[in-house]
Amino acid sequence: MSEPKAPTPAPGDTYKGWLFKWTNYIKGYQRRWFVLSNGLLSYYRTQAEMGHTCRGTINLATANIAVEDSCNFVISNGGTQTYHLKASSEVERQRWITALELAKAKAFRMQAESDDSGDDSTPPAAGQGAGSRNSEVQSTLRTLGSKVEDLSTCNDLIAKHGSALQRSLSELEGVRLGGETSEKIRQVTERATLFRITSNAMINACRDFLALAQTHSKRWQKALQAEREQRVRLEETLEQLAKQHNHLERAFRGATVLPASQSNPAIDSKGPVSGKGDASDEDEENEFFDACEDVQEFITVPADPKYHRRSGSNVSGISSELGMDDGTTSLDEQSLASNPESPQSQELVPVRKRRTRIPDKPNYSLNLWSIMKNCIGKELSKIPMPVNFNEPLSMLQRLSEDLEYYELLDRAAKCQSSLEQMCYVAAFTVSSYSTTVHRTGKPFNPLLGETFELDRVQESGYRSLCEQVSHHPPAAAHHAISERGWTLRQEIALASKFRGKYLSIMPLGSIHCIFEKSTNHYTWKKVTTTVHNIIVGKLWIDQSGEIDVVNHKTGDRCHLKFAPYSYFSRDVARKVTGVVTDKDGKAHYVLSGTWDEKMEYSRVMQSSRGGENGADGRQKTVYQTLKAKELWRKTPLPEGAENMYYFSTLALTLNELEEGVAPTDSRRRPDQRLMEQGRWEEANAEKQRLEEKQRTVRREREREANRAASPSEEGKESADGALIEDSISDSPLKSEEVEIASEPSETTYKSGHQDNYKSMWFEQLVDPVTGEPTHIYKGGYWEAKEQGNWDSCPDIF
């Protein structure tokens, strides 16, 4: 943001502008908005705070102003308040010094002109009571009354002596010249002298009255202005308290308390700070709000109450739910409950009881740096990572966890409005990240041809199949279909960058969701996942980036923004915001929430440009919305989840042994099973065996295809597949940023796969919607399972 061009200050002008104010030794100088008015220098964090939150004020009448250097200066009122300020240039600093000196001189004169009661600063304190003010008013009225009586007396004297002077002048006209002349002239002179004295007294009395009236008029005006300002402050304070009360009530109703061990490590590491700023500024800095970047692209305000009085038939959107109270069942819930195909209305059948626990995670300590420090300058493509950094699930199983909140798609399938359906689809995209908040363990990289099925037809009405369809680059295809009218498919590859302190994981590929009844076809991509504190400290996960959910049939779009975590941010951690628009760009719904807890939607009744300027200088859009309704809320983790890799209820069941699954299923993977049982040394040995077996199979496959492997390709072959964390790089570590070996770029991913492998259950086609090459389910798996015919499956374990 460019500095505003400040005019040359003039006496009595209000002067405003940006200055850098010293806060503390951690943050140093921070940018603040300063306002100089009526002899007072006040400052705010932003211009928008001027209407409600003043961060500090200093009275210039008693302040000392000292210049330190070309840009720095200090303002102090004798010890209780000291502002260390810095201007952007010497010219700007001189403008401020001139304005401050003029304001100080004016404030000093105003204080000197006031009487000894000291009313020039503030009106009497509230503790002195109304009696003190009444006494002051009565005394002033008595003084004014005496002055009025003096004026009345002077008026009578002037009238009396004026009449006598007039008579003397009349007599002088008729006098003959002679002895009487001197006597008459003496009388006229005497009368004129008396008239002059009386007139002077009258003038002095008038001057005293005028001075007294002016003095008390200033005092009363200041007292009245102070009362008005106090009333405005009280009204604003009351409004703020009401908002805070409402916010606390909502937070209390929806709060979920996490154990201390689950709190964010970045927040836990906060400590007290010290600086040379004033005490009030230290308090504000402990909140660490200042460094927050403006990530929200729009502002929402409550809509006009007239919209709330409309009936459900007068407004379109999320059905009649918009006008319902919180306790009323939504239309979608009613539809699901009354749906004859819903499992609640079907004849009850025995449902398999799933496990709710796995063996506790062993307490084996191992630091990544202890492995990496011995690998500097060496070829790392053949160095396997131990299972100590894994969790006992494969990447295919993690991909299947996207269906944790499948109910959102069930509700979406029942929606009559495509915009309403978009809200549920957007909430589903956010919900898939909720399981990652505490999951710092790396999933096992699938072997080529490995599969994973998730059959939940009896319990939830859907079944899902994943297969590792490529090794270079590593890619997994996923297909899920539900009896309730939706299909989900995706092919995901991973790229990553190791940047010294953290690891960034960028998923490549599109996710498709098709609804059978409406034929609406949605696509979106995943955001970047960042693993912090790779070398030192406690690992923690963050999601950041933007998602565009597009309905290719109607042109509707939802733009979601995942705000990156900021240590100094005033916003809620892990915040997600979004706007649902139609094909013409008109906003219909605003989404807000967090990717680890819940999402809400609000119906947009009116939108306009205005409000605060964003980081790029453009005005934000202001949306007038109805009361927010909840779309999705995260299910609490099971008891003891911190000892079970923070697995959700669904994740605990994914590696449970089942009869009839394919021999390539992840549940049959021996190293993963050994790790789940706590036998990590055996798991590491088994993991190395599987990796070597995979390399042997690949070389055999290449020989059969009469393709000799080039040395460069062999050098790129990773030890545990091609996933980023299993092999760091095939080149030496360099500086702060090192790309991980075998990570696919967007170009490599779209150009096709390099393996001589034909997928068992998926075929590679060009997607008609996105134009990208992708693997689509070709059928046959569930029929093979029903017949128990797995003869064509490769032996990968």
Side-chain angles (χ1 to χ4, degrees):
M1 185 182 294
S2 60
E3 296 291 339
K5 183 72 175 177
T8 301
D13 284 351
T14 297
Y15 196 60
K16 305 176 182 179
W18 291 102
L19 288 173
F20 292 89
K21 179 181 178 296
W22 176 267
T23 56
N24 54 58
Y25 287 103
I26 293 180
K27 299 180 64 178
Y29 284 96
Q30 295 295 321
R31 200 161 176 256
R32 298 288 186 265
W33 180 255
F34 280 82
V35 177
L36 174 60
S37 179
N38 296 326
L40 300 177
L41 180 64
S42 306
Y43 75 95
Y44 311 84
R45 283 206 183 92
T46 62
Q47 300 180 50
E49 284 191 347
M50 290 177 60
H52 54 85
T53 307
C54 178
R55 300 294 174 176
T57 302
I58 192 168
N59 190 351
L60 294 179
T62 58
N64 296 320
I65 304 172
V67 177
E68 290 187 334
D69 54 33
S70 60
C71 294
N72 293 57
F73 57 100
V74 179
I75 303 175
S76 175
N77 64 355
T80 58
Q81 286 179 301
T82 301
Y83 294 169
H84 295 260
L85 306 176
K86 181 170 69 173
S88 58
S89 65
E90 186 174 0
V91 175
E92 182 67 17
R93 186 218 65 185
Q94 190 56 46
R95 286 176 178 166
W96 274 102
I97 292 296
T98 303
L100 290 168
E101 292 290 356
L102 290 173
K104 178 181 177 181
K106 183 178 179 181
F108 186 78
R109 286 198 306 271
M110 291 176 63
Q111 190 172 23
E113 289 174 357
S114 64
D115 56 17
D116 296 336
S117 62
D119 291 313
D120 218 34
S121 57
T122 55
Q128 295 177 359
S132 175
R133 295 181 182 177
N134 271 339
S135 175
E136 181 184 4
V137 172
Q138 293 298 328
S139 174
T140 303
L141 289 177
R142 284 195 298 269
T143 304
L144 289 176
S146 65
K147 293 298 180 182
V148 170
E149 290 177 1
D150 292 344
L151 288 175
S152 179
T153 302
C154 290
N155 182 64
D156 293 340
L157 291 174
I158 287 175
K160 176 182 176 181
H161 294 299
S163 298
L165 180 59
Q166 185 66 39
R167 286 195 304 272
S168 298
L169 292 174
S170 298
E171 291 175 357
L172 185 61
E173 291 178 358
V175 172
R176 302 180 199 173
L177 294 176
E180 295 182 358
T181 303
S182 59
E183 180 63 24
K184 291 298 182 182
I185 291 176
R186 186 186 62 79
Q187 291 179 2
V188 170
T189 303
E190 183 180 349
R191 298 284 192 287
T193 302
L194 290 173
F195 187 85
R196 179 174 56 82
I197 294 172
T198 305
S199 298
N200 287 338
M202 180 70 171
I203 291 171
N204 290 334
C206 289
R207 185 181 294 113
D208 292 341
F209 179 85
L210 180 61
L212 186 64
Q214 287 178 341
T215 301
H216 286 280
S217 175
K218 289 182 180 178
R219 292 170 57 190
W220 290 337
Q221 287 177 359
K222 291 173 184 175
L224 180 60
Q225 182 64 24
E227 293 291 339
R228 287 176 177 171
E229 292 175 353
Q230 185 177 8
R231 186 189 67 181
V232 171
R233 286 195 297 269
L234 288 173
E235 290 175 351
E236 292 174 348
T237 302
L238 183 61
E239 182 180 359
Q240 291 294 325
L241 288 173
K243 291 180 179 178
Q244 293 177 8
H245 179 72
N246 183 44
H247 176 73
L248 289 173
E249 282 187 341
R250 293 177 59 187
F252 177 77
R253 288 196 299 266
T256 54
V257 181
L258 291 176
S261 61
Q262 299 183 25
S263 59
N264 196 307
I267 298 176
D268 292 341
S269 62
K270 291 184 181 180
V273 296
S274 61
K276 56 182 180 180
D278 56 90
S280 63
D281 200 53
E282 290 178 4
D283 292 339
E284 71 173 81
E285 297 306 328
N286 285 337
E287 298 173 316
F288 296 104
F289 287 166
D290 188 64
C292 171
E293 290 295 331
D294 195 6
V295 297
Q296 191 170 350
E297 298 177 344
F298 55 85
I299 302 172
T300 57
V301 297
D304 192 284
K306 66 183 180 180
Y307 294 115
H308 295 272
R309 293 194 294 269
R310 294 184 180 182
S311 63
S313 60
N314 292 333
V315 290
S316 61
I318 300 209
S319 308
S320 58
E321 186 181 0
L322 288 170
M324 297 178 179
D325 295 330
D326 292 338
T328 308
T329 305
S330 70
L331 179 62
D332 296 322
E333 292 170 350
Q334 294 174 359
S335 300
L336 286 174
S338 59
N339 180 24
E341 298 179 359
S342 178
Q344 287 89 345
S345 59
Q346 292 179 350
E347 183 180 355
L348 295 177
V349 295
V351 177
R352 174 176 176 175
K353 186 177 180 180
R354 307 286 178 178
R355 69 180 183 180
T356 58
R357 289 197 61 84
I358 61 173
D360 288 352
K361 177 182 179 181
N363 187 20
Y364 294 150
S365 61
L366 182 64
N367 189 279
L368 179 60
W369 184 244
S370 63
I371 298 174
M372 294 179 58
K373 67 181 180 180
N374 297 321
C375 302
I376 297 177
K378 300 179 181 179
E379 182 179 337
L380 304 181
S381 61
K382 299 294 181 69
I383 299 176
M385 301 297 287
V387 299
N388 302 56
F389 297 105
N390 288 55
E391 62 179 18
L393 289 179
S394 74
M395 193 64 196
L396 301 180
Q397 291 165 317
R398 283 288 291 269
L399 202 59
S400 301
E401 281 190 76
D402 285 356
L403 298 171
E404 176 98 20
Y405 298 96
Y406 67 92
E407 301 97 334
L408 291 168
L409 296 182
D410 289 347
R411 295 181 183 179
K414 299 297 179 182
C415 294
Q416 301 297 323
S417 165
S418 62
L419 293 168
E420 173 188 355
Q421 191 175 73
M422 175 67 82
C423 293
Y424 285 109
V425 174
F428 175 78
T429 67
V430 176
S431 70
S432 63
Y433 297 98
S434 64
T435 60
T436 66
V437 61
H438 302 296
R439 302 272 289 278
T440 56
K442 187 191 80 65
F444 279 79
N445 186 46
L447 303 174
L448 187 62
E450 185 175 335
T451 61
F452 178 74
E453 69 162 70
L454 184 64
D455 190 349
R456 293 292 190 269
V457 172
Q458 290 187 356
E459 302 100 312
S460 308
Y462 72 87
R463 52 177 39 161
S464 161
L465 176 66
C466 294
E467 181 181 359
Q468 187 76 1
V469 295
S470 174
H471 184 65
H472 285 290
H478 180 208
H479 181 270
I481 186 169
S482 172
E483 295 178 344
R484 296 171 187 172
W486 55 265
T487 300
L488 184 77
R489 60 179 175 86
Q490 58 182 317
E491 181 178 351
I492 298 296
L494 296 179
S496 68
K497 287 185 182 293
F498 175 64
R499 304 180 187 270
K501 293 183 179 180
Y502 61 92
L503 182 73
S504 296
I505 304 170
M506 292 78 72
L508 307 176
S510 299
I511 304 172
H512 298 253
C513 185
I514 304 99
F515 292 95
E516 180 180 347
K517 183 177 180 181
S518 63
T519 67
N520 287 330
H521 189 147
Y522 297 85
T523 63
W524 66 91
K525 296 179 181 291
K526 289 181 174 289
V527 296
T528 299
T529 299
T530 306
V531 184
H532 293 270
N533 295 341
I534 291 292
I535 304 300
V536 178
K538 183 179 179 182
L539 295 175
W540 59 281
I541 304 287
D542 193 23
Q543 312 286 350
S544 61
E546 299 181 3
I547 295 178
D548 281 315
V549 185
V550 181
N551 186 339
H552 294 274
K553 178 183 177 182
T554 64
D556 300 337
R557 183 180 296 265
C558 178
H559 181 75
L560 293 170
K561 186 167 186 178
F562 288 65
Y565 176 79
S566 173
Y567 187 78
F568 303 102
S569 174
R570 72 176 65 188
D571 278 331
V572 178
R574 310 179 184 98
K575 185 176 182 179
V576 180
T577 56
V579 179
V580 176
T581 58
D582 58 22
K583 62 180 180 180
D584 299 321
K586 180 182 178 182
H588 291 265
Y589 297 100
V590 170
L591 306 181
S592 62
T594 57
W595 54 263
D596 67 324
E597 183 182 358
K598 66 176 181 178
M599 287 296 292
E600 297 178 336
Y601 69 91
S602 303
R603 173 72 188 275
V604 175
M605 306 310 300
Q606 189 175 355
S607 63
S608 61
R609 302 293 293 182
E612 301 179 18
N613 289 337
D616 55 0
R618 295 182 300 175
Q619 286 186 324
K620 296 181 180 179
T621 302
V622 179
Y623 295 118
Q624 293 187 19
T625 62
L626 297 181
K627 183 179 179 182
K629 299 286 184 179
E630 189 172 277
L631 277 171
W632 159 77
R633 179 176 290 276
K634 179 184 177 181
T635 304
L637 294 176
E639 185 179 356
E642 63 275 8
N643 299 321
M644 298 183 293
Y645 308 90
Y646 288 101
F647 281 179
S648 65
T649 303
L650 174 64
L652 289 173
T653 67
L654 294 181
N655 206 43
E656 185 177 9
L657 287 172
E658 293 186 15
E659 296 294 332
V661 298
T664 55
D665 196 274
S666 298
R667 299 176 179 88
R668 300 183 182 275
R669 182 165 174 164
D671 54 348
Q672 186 173 302
R673 179 67 55 191
L674 289 169
M675 182 190 176
E676 181 185 287
Q677 296 171 354
R679 298 154 63 184
W680 285 15
E681 292 185 4
E682 297 176 59
N684 276 319
E686 189 65 23
K687 183 170 179 287
Q688 293 183 31
R689 182 189 69 80
L690 291 175
E691 292 163 0
E692 184 58 37
K693 180 179 180 180
Q694 181 173 234
R695 282 191 287 270
T696 302
V697 171
R698 183 183 181 186
R699 287 192 292 267
E700 180 66 25
R701 188 166 58 248
E702 290 173 344
R703 280 194 292 269
E704 291 177 359
N706 296 322
R707 294 181 181 179
S710 65
S712 59
E713 282 297 315
E714 291 181 358
K716 290 182 180 178
E717 184 177 343
S718 65
D720 181 25
L723 263 184
I724 47 159
E725 296 89 352
D726 279 352
S727 60
I728 306 300
S729 176
D730 60 351
S731 62
L733 291 170
K734 298 177 183 179
S735 65
E736 292 184 14
E737 182 173 326
V738 179
E739 291 195 8
I740 309 304
S742 304
E743 56 176 315
S745 65
E746 189 76 29
T747 304
T748 304
Y749 173 70
K750 290 184 178 181
S751 64
H753 305 295
Q754 303 171 9
D755 295 300
N756 302 312
Y757 171 75
K758 185 177 181 180
S759 170
M760 287 289 300
W761 313 111
F762 292 81
E763 59 181 341
Q764 188 175 24
L765 302 172
V766 176
D767 191 282
V769 175
T770 63
E772 299 175 351
T774 185
H775 281 81
I776 298 177
Y777 178 62
K778 62 183 179 182
Y781 178 87
W782 303 106
E783 292 77 6
K785 179 182 179 181
E786 185 177 351
Q787 298 170 7
N789 182 12
W790 303 115
D791 296 339
S792 58
C793 290
D795 178 18
I796 61 174
F797 299 141

